[in-house]
Amino acid sequence: MERRFLAARALHSFPWLSLEAKLRDSSDSELLRDILQKAVTLSKSTAIISHGITGLVTWDAALYLAEWAIENPAAFPHRAVLELGSGAGLTALAICKMCRPRAYIFSDCHSRVLEQLRGNVLLNGLSLEADITANLDSPRVTVAQLDWDVTTVHQLSAIQPDGVIAADVLYCPEAVVSLVGLAACREHQRAPEVYVAFTVCNPETCQLFTTELGRARIRWEVKPRHDQKLFPYEEHLEMAMLNLTL
């Protein structure tokens, strides 16, 4: 059985937790139990724009970044990972379940997105940081409100991530400038590893991103395309991912 079998189709609902509980007492179900523990369940909007925002759906670059993480799990173990613009949370949940980060900070600036994120965290058997009954084998999970336009050096220092990821956040010039400003906003601390994945819809916006990175003296390199194809995004889309060196 391959992972892609479970990932190839979106299910409306599935009793993951109750089925996993039954499998714990079974001596011949190690493979299936392992798959169920790594499966991701999402509650999300079916409309691209819902309640005037776009963060309630899963965008293609989030699927691409999740696939890259699954193929490159060594990028995340024992790290505190901050995700910018977590959206529905698929990339984050895949990393939490398969890449063993020490801590994971889901972030967004919209209250409805944050509410949905908290629900999806709990839906997947993870615990939020304040839960004293949290599973010690799972990463410490936080859902944080983070607005790139007003975030301060002090706020980022309090988070102290040593890994930062973002997917499909280059949707307009204003967002690009804010994102680069956030990346350059740091105190004298160890620079985190940064990965930004995006769909190349507007080459001018992508060019603006690399130009602004140069102005901020942030080095970058394009990561090669990965081999995994676990999720059903459009084959014709041009995907790209940059590794930033702050």
Side-chain angles (χ1 to χ4, degrees):
M1 182 180 293
E2 296 179 342
R3 281 194 302 251
R4 69 180 65 242
F5 176 77
L6 288 178
R9 182 181 176 189
L11 302 178
H12 292 294
S13 63
F14 199 89
W16 299 115
L17 297 180
S18 60
L19 183 54
E20 183 181 336
K22 292 179 182 179
L23 287 171
R24 286 198 186 98
D25 298 326
S26 175
S27 60
D28 58 353
S29 302
E30 291 295 329
L31 174 61
L32 184 55
R33 181 162 67 249
D34 183 59
I35 291 173
L36 289 175
Q37 288 172 341
K38 292 180 171 68
V40 172
T41 306
L42 282 184
S43 171
K44 63 176 186 175
S45 172
T46 57
I48 292 177
I49 298 177
S50 180
H51 301 286
I53 54 179
T54 59
L56 298 175
V57 299
T58 299
W59 293 87
D60 292 305
L63 303 176
Y64 183 80
L65 180 53
E67 289 175 345
W68 182 87
I70 291 169
E71 190 174 90
N72 298 273
F76 301 101
H78 313 300
R79 289 190 169 189
V81 181
L82 167 64
E83 183 177 11
L84 304 175
S86 296
L90 182 138
T91 304
L93 293 167
I95 290 174
C96 285
K97 291 196 170 201
M98 302 193 69
C99 302
R100 303 181 65 83
R102 171 173 52 86
Y104 200 99
I105 302 96
F106 298 67
S107 77
D108 210 284
C109 63
H110 297 287
S111 59
R112 286 187 179 273
V113 177
L114 295 172
E115 180 182 355
Q116 179 178 263
L117 279 170
R118 293 187 187 97
N120 282 335
V121 166
L122 300 176
L123 190 61
N124 283 272
L126 298 172
S127 301
L128 293 170
E129 189 172 23
D131 186 356
I132 61 174
T133 65
N135 183 354
L136 296 180
D137 293 329
S138 298
R140 188 176 72 251
V141 174
T142 306
V143 176
Q145 186 169 28
L146 190 65
D147 187 336
W148 307 345
D149 290 328
V150 297
T151 299
T152 65
V153 174
H154 177 71
Q155 287 176 301
L156 290 180
S157 298
I159 296 174
Q160 291 187 333
D162 44 21
V164 178
I165 67 168
D168 265 337
V169 292
L170 309 182
Y171 46 83
C172 69
E174 292 78 13
V176 168
V177 173
S178 295
L179 176 64
V180 174
L182 180 64
C185 180
R186 62 187 186 279
E187 289 184 321
H188 300 291
Q189 58 189 34
R190 182 180 177 183
E193 195 84 12
V194 180
Y195 298 99
V196 180
F198 53 92
T199 307
V200 183
C201 298
N202 187 338
E204 293 181 357
T205 303
C206 298
Q207 180 61 50
L208 174 64
F209 182 46
T210 56
T211 299
E212 290 295 322
L213 289 174
R215 288 177 179 171
R217 297 184 179 181
I218 297 174
R219 298 189 302 275
W220 56 272
E221 65 172 345
V222 178
K223 302 298 290 184
R225 289 187 65 88
H226 57 263
D227 297 326
Q228 295 274 17
K229 185 65 173 69
L230 302 178
F231 299 108
Y233 54 82
E234 297 294 334
E235 291 281 0
H236 69 276
L237 293 175
E238 183 183 353
M239 298 290 185
M241 189 165 73
L242 302 187
N243 180 199
L244 311 186
T245 304
L246 306 183

